[in-house]
């Protein structure tokens, strides 16, 4: 079966992009990274793509002052020219307009570093620590026009541990992100996830009896 063609949008480091590239290195993975698109020419993610032999494009938002529609139109053109089936936001730090989001309706994913709907927006780890939550994590969801909203495809939870600071917590969540994004893409690519309005149903989903994350650990 043909692999799903991913367009990955990055603004910086690109470690989630790397996780998708690494997953796609396995021929059994049902998707491949067809294009890495960045709004910043200096994004490290572009170097990762080039190193993996993946095509790249840069659409610099600063080239379209006051004209978001033209900026997004140029991104949309690049994605369509590369025959992209599914767009994955991976640390893409521009808010997309309803026009772009609707054009890629149910074909646009985002990874966010919190258990949504908690902690939308920026500085999620600092806010989780300030709130004193014992469990934190990350979410892959379908994008809707409102920021960090949309049907949830997959989530990973991690404990918040005594002595954690923003950095140690971010590291733990990021390691979970790297496992979660390829899993979420696989579910969609294999047709095992169905979007029913604002919720996602997943075939073969069910409790395995061993998955509760209880923090603090009971001894
Ligand atoms: C990731 O933690 C991702 O969840 C977050 O930015 C980081 C990008 O890292 N995304 C957001 O905060 C989106 N609102 P990466 O460039 O190494 O993948």
């Amino acid at each position: 079966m043909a692999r799903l063609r991913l367009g990955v949008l990055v603004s910086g480091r690109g470690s989630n992009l790397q996780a998708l590239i690494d997953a796609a290195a396995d021929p059994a993975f049902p998707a491949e990274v067809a294009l890495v698109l960045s709004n910043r020419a200096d994004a490290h993610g572009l170097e990762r793509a080039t190193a993996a032999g993946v095509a790249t494009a840069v659409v610099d938002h600063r080239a379209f002052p006051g004209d978001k529609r033209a900026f997004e139109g140029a991104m949309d053109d690049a994605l369509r020219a590369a025959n992209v089936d599914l767009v994955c936001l991976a640390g893409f730090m521009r808010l997309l307009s309803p026009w772009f989001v609707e054009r890629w309706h149910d074909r646009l994913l985002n990874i966010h570093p919190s258990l949504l709907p908690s902690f939308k927006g920026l500085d999620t780890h600092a806010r989780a620590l300030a709130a004193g939550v014992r469990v934190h994590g990350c979410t892959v969801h379908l994008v809707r026009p409102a920021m960090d909203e949309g049907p949830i495809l997959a989530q990973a939870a991690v404990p918040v541990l005594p002595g954690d600071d923003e950095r140690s917590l971010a590291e733990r969540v990021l390691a979970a992100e790297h496992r979660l994004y390829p899993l979420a893409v696989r579910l969609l690519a294999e047709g095992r996830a169905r979007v029913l309005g604002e919720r996602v149903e997943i075939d073969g989903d069910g409790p395995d009896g061993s998955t509760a994350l209880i923090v603090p650990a009971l001894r």
Side-chain angles (χ1 to χ4, degrees):
M1 211 170 87
R3 302 168 98 197
L4 207 65
R5 293 175 63 80
L6 308 179
V8 184
L9 269 56
V10 300
S11 295
R13 181 175 57 183
S15 70
N16 277 291
L17 162 67
Q18 190 69 55
L20 291 170
I21 288 174
D22 292 348
D26 178 352
F29 190 73
E32 65 188 307
V33 182
L35 179 70
V36 173
L37 180 54
S38 181
N39 62 312
R40 299 184 56 112
D42 62 353
H44 183 54
L46 293 170
E47 288 167 39
R48 295 180 187 267
T50 303
V54 172
T56 63
V58 175
V59 179
D60 188 336
H61 58 281
R62 291 168 306 185
F64 305 90
D67 194 351
K68 197 170 200 176
R69 171 69 180 76
F71 164 59
E72 293 181 347
M75 290 203 297
D76 187 63
D77 288 347
L79 292 164
R80 282 168 205 277
N83 287 316
V84 162
D85 302 305
L86 179 69
V87 176
C88 298
L89 305 181
F92 184 70
M93 301 315 264
R94 311 294 302 174
L95 194 58
L96 294 165
S97 74
W99 175 79
F100 187 93
V101 171
E102 288 311 326
R103 260 180 98 69
W104 290 92
H105 187 77
D106 287 352
R107 295 191 300 146
L108 177 57
L109 299 183
N110 182 41
I111 187 155
H112 181 76
S114 78
L115 291 171
L116 290 173
S118 290
F119 308 120
K120 295 173 181 172
L122 297 174
D123 301 323
T124 55
H125 308 308
R127 288 189 288 135
L129 286 168
V133 297
R134 302 248 180 247
V135 175
H136 185 44
C138 51
T139 303
V140 176
H141 65 99
L142 290 134
V143 176
R144 295 292 184 256
M147 189 184 62
D148 299 328
E149 272 185 26
I152 291 172
L153 195 50
Q155 292 185 304
V158 302
V160 179
L161 298 177
D164 262 342
D165 57 15
E166 206 178 325
R167 196 186 159 129
S168 61
L169 185 55
E171 229 171 75
R172 194 173 307 122
V173 172
L174 193 64
E177 292 185 45
H178 297 161
R179 294 172 60 194
L180 192 69
Y181 219 165
L183 168 79
V185 166
R186 186 154 61 78
L187 288 174
L188 266 188
E190 289 176 345
R192 291 172 58 197
R194 274 184 316 281
V195 188
L196 301 173
E198 293 310 295
R199 298 185 70 248
V200 178
E201 225 173 60
I202 295 175
D203 288 344
D205 192 16
D208 75 1
S210 65
T211 50
L213 173 63
I214 298 174
V215 186
L218 301 175
R219 291 199 176 88

